[in-house]
Amino acid sequence: MESRTALNVLRKIDDGLSVIERQLLGWSIIIMAVNTVANVIARLGFSSSLFFSEELNQFLIILVTFVGISEAARMGRHIRMSAFSDMLGPRASKVLMIIVSVGTATLLFTLAYYSIDYIAGLIKTNRLTPSLRIPMYFTVLVVPFGLTVTGIQFVLAALTNILKPGVHLSYRVEDIYEDDTLDTHL
């Protein structure tokens, strides 16, 4: 019972993170679009590009990538090779999903650790970005956050598979086998 309570607390925290992530993703994509259109207008209309445009879009792509992986994992939209697990029975498929979730979480937490080490090295260099002149480490601060939150998603998926019946891609999404028969009612 205590594990279910802990899982519910984690889910509530994750729900809050999901709202923040979706806002970050939405606004980043809007800013990228506006920035790109403004740069094209400046280039075509004034024969001069915005000096910061490419750099800003690079930062936003990093943000969208590393925040987006967490949202993808939360919604069970991560890339997976299901041919092997589809051949297994439900019990073996569930065990495989737990192993894959724990392994993926471990890898993501390890990468988050190394990304923090990388950022610490960037801080020591005092390097600035060429156009906007902001500290280089600032541009990649989202990387350990995204990796850690995505790792948490896979821990939640493993716990959900342990505590609930069925095979779950994430704590929100159950893997349901759909029969691929042809629809003859055309």
Side-chain angles (χ1 to χ4, degrees), residues 151-171:
I152 292 168
Q153 294 303 320
F154 281 98
V155 168
L156 287 171
L159 289 172
T160 302
N161 276 300
I162 291 168
L163 297 173
K164 293 174 89 176
V167 178
H168 299 269
L169 301 176
S170 73
Y171 80 90

Side-chain angles (χ1 to χ4, degrees), residues 30-45:
I30 289 169
I31 292 168
M32 276 194 291
V34 168
N35 180 41
T36 302
V37 169
N39 192 38
V40 168
I41 291 170
R43 196 171 359 141
L44 295 176

Side-chain angles (χ1 to χ4, degrees), residues 7 25 28 30 35 59 65 76 83 114 136 141 146 148-149 158 184 186:
L7 193 57
L25 290 169
S28 294
I30 289 169
N35 180 41
F59 303 153
T65 300
Y114 284 117
M136 188 66 88
L141 281 175
T148 300
V149 175
T184 57
L186 295 175

Side-chain angles (χ1 to χ4, degrees), residues 122-133:
L122 278 179
I123 290 171
K124 290 177 186 174
T125 66
N126 292 322
R127 287 178 45 204
L128 300 176
T129 61
S131 298
L132 295 173
R133 310 298 296 164

